[in-house]
Amino acid sequence: MKKITIAIDGLSSCGKSTMAKDLARKIGYVYVDTGAMYRAVTLYAIRHHLFEGTEINTEELERQMDDIHISFKFNAETKKPDTYLNGELVEKEIRGMEVSNLVSPIATIPFVRTAMVRQQQQMGEEKGIVMDGRDIGTVVFPDAELKIFVTASAEVRAQRRYDELKAKGMEGDYEEILKNVQERDYIDSHREVAPLRPADDAILLDNSNLTIDEQNAWVMEQYLRVVNSAE
């Protein structure tokens, strides 16, 4: 069966990563979580004291960008890829609220996006890849054979994020998370470089009222339709 590139974009905390991971595992493709890449850059900036409140020392961050290397390794226990920052496992650290509250400003910086897009495109050169994020279908892989754009209400996404943190034994406040989700939506859709929007040929999916099984069945149907038509 011909291998294709699958780009899954959408709003924050709408289940893109869950969808992409499950699909990649079922069809034997490589999965890349681009949101985790921006979170890893944010964690690096926090650790290197490049924030003053929410203000970023962009000049110093740009000087250090070549020192930021992000990779993914499959976790046999969870059956999912883990994120590594310069060889260190940081999957848990990048999911906390400190990173969540600062990742959108990092993701709006042009030189950060350029560096991440370059790494992402290198990962996808051989096809057979599922990548999710905010601009995969519009910027990273504009020629992807299958593009999906996922949405859900802010309230549903905040509840999912809250439940995810609780399941990991991490503290979370629903109202704070809802505010964060709404702020990230605004920043992502209004940023100067690669604003969040569906590609013209993307298939839209509102999964507010779908179960994970229903969502997975839907995306598998889209995948089979595309690969069968390409044979």
Side-chain angles (χ1 to χ4, degrees):
M1 187 173 287
K2 179 183 177 181
K3 287 191 174 183
I4 64 172
T5 298
I6 302 172
I8 300 179
D9 291 314
L11 304 175
S12 67
S13 302
C14 64
K16 302 184 302 296
S17 295
T18 298
M19 172 191 288
K21 289 172 186 174
D22 288 344
L23 178 63
R25 184 172 64 251
K26 288 175 182 175
I27 64 179
Y29 276 26
V30 175
Y31 165 74
V32 176
D33 178 357
T34 61
M37 297 176 74
Y38 290 102
R39 285 175 172 270
V41 175
T42 305
L43 180 63
Y44 178 95
I46 292 170
R47 288 179 169 181
H48 288 77
H49 312 292
L50 301 182
F51 280 99
E52 284 289 342
T54 58
E55 294 297 315
I56 307 161
N57 185 341
T58 54
E59 187 175 326
E60 184 58 33
L61 178 59
E62 185 169 17
R63 278 198 292 265
Q64 298 185 34
M65 278 306 299
D66 288 342
D67 297 327
I68 303 175
H69 304 287
I70 300 161
S71 58
F72 298 91
K73 296 180 182 178
F74 184 74
N75 185 320
E77 184 177 335
T78 65
K79 307 299 183 185
K80 296 177 181 179
D82 286 334
T83 309
Y84 286 75
L85 171 61
N86 293 334
E88 176 195 351
L89 174 62
V90 294
E91 187 64 34
K92 182 175 181 179
E93 289 82 353
I94 65 173
R95 305 299 175 182
M97 285 306 299
E98 182 180 23
V99 170
S100 292
N101 286 331
L102 296 171
V103 63
S104 285
I106 285 284
T108 65
I109 300 172
F111 66 79
V112 173
R113 299 202 70 81
T114 297
M116 293 300 100
V117 167
R118 184 165 56 246
Q119 290 191 34
Q120 292 155 15
Q121 290 173 333
Q122 289 171 350
M123 293 175 187
E125 287 177 352
E126 301 301 320
K127 291 191 175 288
I129 192 168
V130 182
M131 192 174 288
D132 76 271
R134 303 286 204 283
D135 58 0
I136 311 306
T138 55
V139 176
V140 183
F141 296 126
D143 296 323
E145 292 87 344
L146 175 58
K147 302 176 186 177
I148 296 170
F149 192 92
V150 190
T151 70
S153 72
E155 291 76 15
V156 166
R157 288 181 286 135
Q159 187 64 50
R160 288 173 180 169
R161 182 70 179 144
Y162 175 82
D163 292 342
E164 178 185 332
L165 289 173
K166 284 295 187 183
K168 293 179 178 179
M170 302 170 68
E171 291 298 318
D173 177 86
Y174 172 80
E175 293 301 329
E176 179 187 0
I177 295 171
L178 177 59
K179 181 181 178 183
N180 173 253
V181 165
Q182 293 168 332
E183 288 175 347
R184 289 180 68 185
D185 285 352
Y186 182 84
I187 292 171
D188 288 343
S189 61
H190 288 79
R191 66 187 177 219
E192 184 176 346
V193 178
L196 175 65
R197 65 174 180 82
D200 293 338
D201 54 347
I203 306 169
L204 300 183
L205 171 67
D206 184 335
N207 67 6
S208 297
N209 299 310
L210 294 182
T211 66
I212 290 178
D213 285 344
E214 289 170 337
Q215 174 177 275
N216 288 346
W218 180 90
V219 73
M220 180 61 74
E221 181 181 333
Q222 307 311 312
Y223 162 73
L224 291 173
R225 175 182 57 78
V226 172
V227 293
N228 287 335
S229 65
E231 291 296 328

